[in-house]
Amino acid sequence: MARFLDASENGLTRELYSLCFPDPEFVSELYGPQGEAWRCRMAVAEEDGRIVSMAQVVRRYALYEEGQLPVWYIMGVCTHPDMRHRGLMDQVMGLVLRTLRDEGEPWCFLIPVDRDIYRHLGFVHDMKLEDERSLEALEADDGLDTLSICFLCQSEEEFRAPRSFSREPAL
């Protein structure tokens, strides 16, 4: 069963994150006192009292000529290697997408290593990131420059691609 962690529990995901994304410098930055892990929503699946699958959901800003739109960015999606192919990621992502849809969010996105993994969840619109500002704001790994969008309360026909993304709201 998937659930969102209370913010005080977010540090419990560090072990799984470190196993799946073994970059000690980034893990230390992410889980440090001012790191993103303490400011995001964490959805997890647990088995026998341990976190075995997770997704981080962070707020970013889609920038348009006439303004900005806060939008949710899903990152750090992973499942313990010994627990893969059991539907745990689908449980976690299902919780995230239902929650965002229920909250009236128009769309959300992620930057997948393999876009086909997320197609069945609704991430069917791809957008190549061309500018360094967006890549930096989204902490995109080297070579990952295409995001996949899931429409929650907005149709693909209504969607206008932002010109860039920002970590913080633009003034």
Side-chain angles (χ1 to χ4, degrees):
M1 186 68 154
R3 71 178 179 101
F4 279 102
L5 295 177
D6 180 84
S8 66
E9 299 176 289
N10 284 0
L12 299 174
T13 62
R14 183 179 183 143
E15 182 179 341
L16 176 60
Y17 190 92
S18 298
L19 176 67
C20 296
F21 304 104
D23 180 341
E25 185 177 321
F26 188 70
V27 171
S28 293
E29 183 180 310
L30 179 69
Y31 285 91
Q34 302 300 316
E36 193 80 65
W38 306 108
R39 296 188 304 273
C40 70
R41 298 163 88 174
M42 297 265 197
V44 301
E46 298 165 294
E47 188 168 292
D48 298 325
R50 70 183 181 128
I51 295 171
V52 294
S53 189
M54 66 177 275
Q56 300 170 329
V57 188
V58 298
R59 181 70 78 186
R60 291 296 186 260
Y61 297 87
L63 304 178
Y64 299 91
E65 294 299 325
E66 64 278 0
Q68 61 191 344
L69 172 72
V71 64
W72 289 104
Y73 174 30
I74 301 169
M75 58 187 279
V77 179
C78 62
T79 300
H80 191 286
D82 295 340
M83 304 297 287
R84 292 182 181 154
H85 308 291
R86 298 182 188 186
L88 296 167
M89 185 266 295
D90 282 358
Q91 289 178 30
V92 169
M93 292 295 289
L95 171 65
V96 169
L97 296 175
R98 279 190 310 277
T99 301
L100 295 178
R101 189 172 286 114
D102 290 349
E103 292 173 354
E105 296 295 333
W107 54 277
C108 64
F109 68 98
L110 48 75
I111 300 178
V113 172
D114 180 354
R115 291 187 297 280
D116 290 337
I117 292 172
Y118 299 93
R119 296 288 191 224
H120 74 284
L121 295 169
F123 290 88
V124 296
H125 182 80
D126 296 326
M127 180 180 144
K128 188 163 178 70
L129 296 170
E130 303 288 347
D131 66 299
E132 288 298 318
R133 177 181 183 176
S134 291
L135 292 168
E136 185 177 312
L138 302 178
E139 302 169 47
D141 287 338
D142 292 340
L144 297 178
D145 62 358
T146 303
L147 55 87
S148 292
I149 297 167
C150 178
F151 299 101
L152 301 166
C153 298
Q154 181 179 50
S155 70
E156 187 170 351
E157 293 77 33
E158 297 173 302
F159 178 75
R160 284 187 318 116
R163 62 180 168 85
S164 65
F165 289 89
S166 173
R167 238 182 127 90
E168 304 294 331
L171 298 177

